[in-house]
Amino acid sequence: MDMAQPLPFVLDVPETPEDQGSQEPSPYDESEVHDSFHQLIQEQSRWAAQEGLELQQRARGATGSGQHTLSGSEGAHSTATLRILASMPSRTIGRSRGAIISQYYNRTVQLRRRSSRPLLGNLVRSARPSLRMYDLELDPRAQEEEEKQSLLVKELQSLAVAQRDHMLRGMPLSLADKRSLREKSRTPRGKWRGQRGHGGICSCCGWLRYACVLTLHSLGLALLSSLQALTPWRDALKRIGGQFGSSVLSYFLFLKTLLAFNALLLLLLLAFIVGPQAAFPPALPGPVPVCTGLELLTGAGCFTHTVMYYGHYSNATLNQPCGGPLEGGQCSPRVGGLPYNMPLAYLFTVGVGFFITCISLVYSMAHSFGESYRVGSTSGIHAITVFCSWDYKVTQKRASRLQQDNIRTRLKTGVRWRNLGSLQPPPPGFKRFSCISLSSSWDYRCVPPCPADFSIFSRNEVSPCWSGWSRSLDFMIRPPRPPRVLVLQELLAEWQLRQGPRSVCRRLRQAAALGLVWLLCLGTALGCAVAVHVFSEFMIQSPEAAGQEAALLVLPLVVGLLNLGAPYLCRILAALEPHDSPVLEVYMAICRNLILKLAVLGTLCYHWLGRRVGVLQGQCWEDFVGQELYRFLVMDFVLTLLDTLFGELVWRIISEKKLKRRRKPEFDIARNVLELIYGQTLAWLGVLFSPLLPAVQIIKLLLVFYIKKTSLLANCQAPRRPWLASHMSTVFLTLLCFPAFLGAAVFLCYAVWQVKPSGICGPFRTLDTMYEAGRVWVRHLEAAGPRVSWLPWVHRYLVENTFFVFLVSALLLAVVYLNIQVVRGQRKVICLLKEQISNEGEDKIFLINKLHSIYERKEREERSRFRTSQAAVPPTLFTDERDA
Amino acid sequence: MGGSGSRLSKELLAEYQDLTFLTKQEILLSMYVVSAPHLVDNEQQARSGNEHTGTPIAERANGSPLSARAHRRFCELLPQEQQSVEASLRAQVSFERILSLPELKANPFKERICRVFSTSPTRDRLSFEDFLDLLSVFSDTATPDIKSHYAFRIFDFDDDGTLNREDLSQLVNCLTGESEDTRLSASEMKQLIDNILEESDIDRDGTINLSEFQHVISRSPDFASSFKIVL
């Protein structure tokens, strides 16, 4: 923002009232400063040696108020210099009100882009240091601040009311200051809120644009606040955040997101499919079966012929007295009433619902990516750890202590790593490390030549944050086992044991173990898929199973158990492999779990669309698939319940009572989120066959929220590992979008375009594929007349023609490529800017030194004028060079 | 929730809404936390009863939440005529009361936060509006810009406008715990601060100023979500 701004050369500064109580005039006035500069440049060569000596000598003296202005050991300057330093704009902005006001004045002007009045920053930059700049860049004396304020007020007055409030809201001033600014900037005409801003014509365009943005913003805010008022979860989320930090909170927030997606989908379906159908109920084919209670689990029985499932929906145009198949077209539309074509509505609503979900998913994913991966975010891990890692939401003493432990370990490890790799001489404990093959100029981004050497930190607790710092090193660090900090000697011994000729062999062994575990996990996934396939075939073949309702539950139960058990198996297997880093471990666990779930779901999809359609000839196979998905969803919920009960509650009781351990189980965020994603995939898969499935999913999510919350608060403890909440939520959103949603969409597309709907039920019963409904409708429109002729045209050229699809995807690829190029260019610019800033910084140091020497000389002259002795400053020689 | 809305005049409430990032509910809630107990109607009692179930039962004597009790004690100290709404808006709450809020109790930066937001000349008391400022900055909707600005001021322990080595070491001590066995050793601390300065001090002047700080913050996606206090 303003860091690239060249430093205004502020020499003659009245001192800040905050720092120094008195207002003593500066020893130089402006002309004298220029004079001294002139002199300075002339005499520079002559002074160079002498001045260097003085500076260093001063630097040895007492430190001022902690102003280490120059790099290295030099830090002490005379009070006059310090005063000037303290009033440099880059420093006052963090402290004084006047500086903040002037900064925001500049921003306001920029906002309005009025070229008639130059920015004050530009003024300062271009003009010679004159009195003009004092009221802008210096620490405020009372009337100067007022002047600045009045400038700002004038600017604010020309803004629209909403824009002004927005501006004021974002200013880092106290409420009283904001209020007074607001009072002053209120236009004399309209005295109250809701008045219209009277911006000039020149700012009209900007005003309009800004007004739009603001309206949207305030609309969003209103929506947000109303939602906040509605949601009963605010307190619950606050408690979770307070006790467990952001990481566990991210699970619940993810759950909330899912809930929102489902609610959106359900709203659409209710409004356009379920509602109309419920309003015009068709005649039931037979007597209603009696509900036994088991239907809640199986979804069959008395649920079958309800709006719950596809089969119930009619293929007629609803609000016409003469029902009939569509293509007959014998019913002319009634006057005044629009015909409601059910098949079309069914197809379009599901399509639009999926499209909206897709758009919002992709949008939130992109947003999340933008938030969590910034250009140049891979550097500066120490600074980020120190500045940004504290979670202010935490309200529990114990959680706060845990957080402190975490941060401490992270910092210590980080410092040690730096110690090993840096050029600086290592502290005494590291003497014997000199034999490590670390070259002195270690590049953190390079893959180390011999990775095995780095496992010396095997007991260290290393945070996932490390991935930001160095991708490659991160893989060499083992996950934390005990949360205690390692003693260096222990480290050393371990390292000595491990280094040397064994490293190659050990690497081989590591690779072998890794491969083996992967193989086993993939084998498990494959085994699960095969088991599901065999079992479902068995279910198809055995005729007696079809009769009983309870038998329907067997397949979901088996799949659910596999889903529950296999990840545990994989986790046990993962204990065999060498743990490289906690991040990698988490990602690997997620990846394996995902592969497993995908394999199972893929087999099931094949089973439904490939086998069941053939087997259930003459019956309503869509109903069956819908019921099956309902059963899976319910069984998933039941197993989640059991898992929570046994994995958390019983485990805690056992570990407390039997093992006498104080530790409670940790909440496994990744696994729980994956389960949510799995459940959501099931719901999406079933939307076409059971339009009310999102409602079931909503109920399930609500229950899961409360159950998980209760169990978490009672049984679990805060995770000991730090967790990159935003990165992880990005990953989860991506997973939700990419395999889950995309898979469901592909499944539905296949079902709509390729599979023949059953002939006895549902809205598409007379058609070859579900998509036929759309085609028939378009043909209908073509026949209807030229009024809507564009629609068939659109259909013919854009939907049925593949060329358009290719064009769109090519355009998309081009945009992606361009964006990549833009980012690369930005990176270059950032590098250049950084270089420039560090040059400016060196200039600043240089000027400060000069300034200091001027004061120094002046002081000495005065001193020599008053006292005759020259011994006040004994020149002693110091040999160390200033590193500039 | 609108029960006590009539107590706080509509204009004032609207003004607070315009000038802070808080919603009406949040303003009323903070009003309740800081203001006199007679504002508490039954609905809010129930609400805050829900809210503070996280505190151990021993701390919740008579079912009244900790913050309310803290302030009730404070209000008992106030002269009787000050207990009207306007007066309690003007009244200033001393730091101990604010610091004993459950939301701030576990925070190592609580004193700094209070000091930064205090507008009283002695910097040891918070008025209701200061408290609103505090909540506004820590709210959900506050811009990252204003959040990082105040984070900088919180971390600037000596209030001199830059983060120098002393500020950084104090900051690190707050993060790791102040006691002897938890803090970093002197050499570690020096190394750490060197690293921090190397990473974030772009202009190499030995201190971190606001724009350098904001530059660091902008690279951390978790900052905006963790720099939050929910009342």
Side-chain angles (χ1 to χ4, degrees), chain B residues 42-82:
Chain B
N42 290 331
E43 192 186 353
Q44 275 183 334
Q45 276 279 17
R47 177 174 171 70
S48 54
N50 277 336
E51 188 175 340
H52 294 282
T53 40
T55 57
I57 294 169
E59 288 184 0
R60 284 186 293 133
N62 312 327
S64 73
L66 197 68
S67 54
R69 278 198 301 134
H71 190 80
R72 202 165 294 164
R73 261 184 280 134
F74 169 65
C75 282
E76 282 160 11
L77 295 178
L78 283 178
Q80 201 59 42
E81 65 269 18
Q82 274 202 22

Side-chain angles (χ1 to χ4, degrees), chain A residues 1-3 18-19 65-71 86 88 90-91 93-95 100 104 107 165 168-176 178-179 182-183 186 192-193 221 224-225 228-229 234-235 238-239 243 246 371-372 374-377 379-397 400 403-404 407-408 411-412 414-416 418-419 422 424 723-727 834 837-838 841-842 844-845, chain B residues 11-12 14-21 23 25-26 29 47 50-54 102-103 105-109 113 119 129 132-133 138 140-141 143 145-146 149-150 152-156 158-166 168 171-172 174-177 182-184 188 191-192 194-196 198-200 202-211 213-223 225-231:
Chain A
M1 184 177 48
D2 54 343
M3 63 186 178
E18 280 165 63
D19 284 356
S65 57
Q67 300 267 1
H68 289 264
T69 322
L70 305 180
S71 56
M88 284 196 307
S90 68
R91 300 194 174 189
I93 185 65
R95 179 186 42 167
I100 293 170
Y104 274 83
R107 280 195 200 175
D165 283 346
L168 277 173
R169 207 180 297 145
M171 280 187 201
L173 295 171
S174 75
L175 201 56
K178 282 190 210 168
R179 181 185 294 136
R182 190 169 183 242
E183 288 297 325
R186 194 163 278 161
W192 200 235
R193 299 165 10 99
L221 268 187
L224 201 84
S225 66
Q228 214 172 24
R234 188 172 161 273
D235 300 336
K238 182 196 161 188
R239 275 191 66 196
Q243 281 192 34
S246 302
E371 286 286 305
S372 62
R374 297 260 164 87
V375 175
S377 67
S379 63
I381 192 60
H382 285 106
I384 287 178
T385 313
V386 167
F387 292 146
C388 315
S389 60
W390 188 263
D391 201 341
Y392 288 77
K393 282 197 286 285
V394 165
T395 58
Q396 249 200 355
K397 273 258 154 55
S400 143
Q403 209 181 342
Q404 286 182 336
I407 292 174
R408 183 171 59 249
L411 291 177
K412 284 195 171 196
V415 168
R416 260 177 231 155
R418 266 298 172 84
N419 259 338
S422 67
Q424 291 157 1
W723 175 269
L724 279 179
S726 68
H727 277 246
K834 261 188 188 161
I837 291 166
S838 69
E842 271 167 30
K844 188 164 90 178
I845 293 170
Chain B
E11 289 82 24
L12 207 55
E15 188 172 66
Y16 287 151
Q17 265 178 285
D18 282 345
L19 292 181
T20 63
F21 291 100
T23 59
Q25 284 83 18
E26 285 168 327
L29 191 64
R47 177 174 171 70
N50 277 336
E51 188 175 340
H52 294 282
T53 40
E103 285 81 11
K105 226 175 17 172
N107 199 321
F109 300 105
I113 292 175
T119 49
E129 295 192 348
L132 276 189
D133 264 334
F138 281 101
D140 256 337
T141 41
T143 58
D145 212 29
I146 195 169
H149 186 101
Y150 275 101
F152 180 80
R153 282 171 63 173
I154 287 168
F155 294 160
D156 182 15
D158 53 8
D159 289 319
D160 70 343
T162 60
L163 300 184
N164 50 36
R165 299 184 80 94
E166 282 78 22
L168 288 177
L171 169 59
V172 172
C174 276
L175 286 177
T176 59
T182 55
R183 60 166 60 184
L184 299 184
E188 278 172 329
Q191 180 74 46
L192 178 65
D194 284 345
N195 291 347
I196 294 171
E198 188 187 320
E199 285 163 2
S200 47
I202 304 171
D203 65 1
R204 298 269 165 254
D205 67 345
T207 59
I208 297 171
N209 59 32
L210 179 66
S211 26
F213 180 78
Q214 285 180 331
H215 190 231
V216 173
I217 294 286
S218 74
R219 285 179 304 183
S220 164
D222 281 321
F223 174 75
S225 65
S226 65
F227 197 75
K228 248 180 223 172
I229 293 178
V230 188
L231 193 66

Side-chain angles (χ1 to χ4, degrees), chain A residues 439-751:
Chain A
S439 57
S440 54
S441 57
W442 177 256
D443 184 1
Y444 288 95
R445 272 158 292 281
C446 277
V447 178
C450 180
D453 279 348
F454 287 87
S455 56
I456 48 173
F457 285 108
S458 60
R459 298 261 184 86
N460 257 340
E461 172 128 347
V462 177
S463 67
C465 262
W466 279 66
S467 65
W469 174 43
S470 138
R471 288 276 154 68
S472 51
L473 273 188
D474 186 47
F475 297 161
M476 312 310 151
I477 301 163
R478 287 189 151 206
R481 285 296 167 239
R484 78 176 96 94
V485 182
L486 191 65
V487 190
L488 278 182
Q489 272 69 27
E490 196 181 333
L491 249 181
L492 186 68
E494 202 171 319
W495 175 75
Q496 278 172 340
L497 271 180
R498 286 175 177 230
Q499 66 146 355
R502 288 207 293 167
S503 64
V504 176
C505 146
R506 206 158 49 80
R507 253 191 302 169
L508 271 179
R509 216 169 45 203
Q510 268 187 358
L514 197 69
L516 187 72
V517 172
W518 265 106
L519 216 63
L520 282 175
C521 285
L522 289 180
T524 315
L526 196 67
C528 286
V530 168
V532 169
H533 180 70
V534 168
F535 197 80
S536 54
E537 286 296 320
F538 171 74
M539 290 300 288
I540 288 174
Q541 249 104 62
S542 66
E544 77 276 5
Q548 297 167 331
E549 286 227 327
L552 293 172
L553 282 175
V554 179
L555 182 64
L557 187 67
V558 168
V559 171
L561 284 177
L562 283 179
N563 256 332
L564 196 66
Y568 278 115
L569 188 69
C570 277
R571 230 207 283 175
I572 293 169
L573 285 177
L576 292 177
E577 75 182 338
H579 299 292
D580 288 335
S581 80
V583 203
L584 200 65
E585 200 188 347
V586 168
Y587 279 130
M588 274 207 201
I590 290 176
C591 191
R592 284 166 188 164
N593 203 339
L594 200 71
I595 288 175
L596 178 90
K597 289 193 158 69
L598 281 183
V600 170
L601 273 182
T603 317
L604 284 173
C605 287
Y606 165 73
H607 166 66
W608 288 322
L609 286 194
R611 300 279 304 147
R612 280 290 170 183
V613 176
V615 170
L616 291 174
Q617 215 78 67
Q619 297 174 49
C620 200
W621 64 267
E622 287 95 344
D623 270 2
F624 180 79
V625 174
Q627 286 169 7
E628 196 91 330
L629 280 162
Y630 175 87
R631 285 192 283 272
F632 273 92
L633 210 58
V634 171
M635 198 49 81
D636 185 46
F637 171 65
V638 170
L639 287 176
T640 307
L641 265 188
L642 289 179
D643 185 36
T644 310
L645 190 69
F646 285 102
E648 287 169 9
L649 177 68
V650 176
W651 177 244
R652 175 183 68 104
I653 291 172
I654 288 176
S655 77
E656 271 184 358
K657 293 274 153 61
K658 295 278 174 208
L659 306 177
K660 302 286 178 210
R661 272 189 293 183
R662 293 284 301 145
R663 274 186 44 220
K664 292 174 172 182
E666 275 183 37
F667 188 74
D668 191 342
I669 306 163
R671 196 168 56 85
N672 279 299
V673 170
L674 277 183
E675 251 153 45
L676 283 186
I677 291 178
Y678 173 74
Q680 188 56 48
T681 318
L682 287 179
W684 276 331
L685 285 176
V687 166
L688 188 63
F689 308 112
S690 165
L692 278 184
L693 211 57
V696 178
Q697 169 76 352
I698 284 178
I699 295 168
K700 184 194 136 188
L701 286 178
L702 285 175
L703 289 176
V704 164
F705 181 89
Y706 285 108
I707 290 162
K708 285 283 177 192
K709 189 198 112 192
T710 316
S711 161
L712 180 78
L713 292 178
N715 301 326
C716 294
Q717 67 173 16
R720 281 172 298 121
R721 283 183 215 164
W723 175 269
L724 279 179
S726 68
H727 277 246
M728 272 320 196
S729 44
T730 309
V731 169
F732 290 140
L733 266 181
T734 316
L735 289 183
L736 183 69
C737 184
F738 173 54
F741 182 77
L742 204 70
V746 166
F747 176 80
L748 288 197
C749 284
Y750 182 75

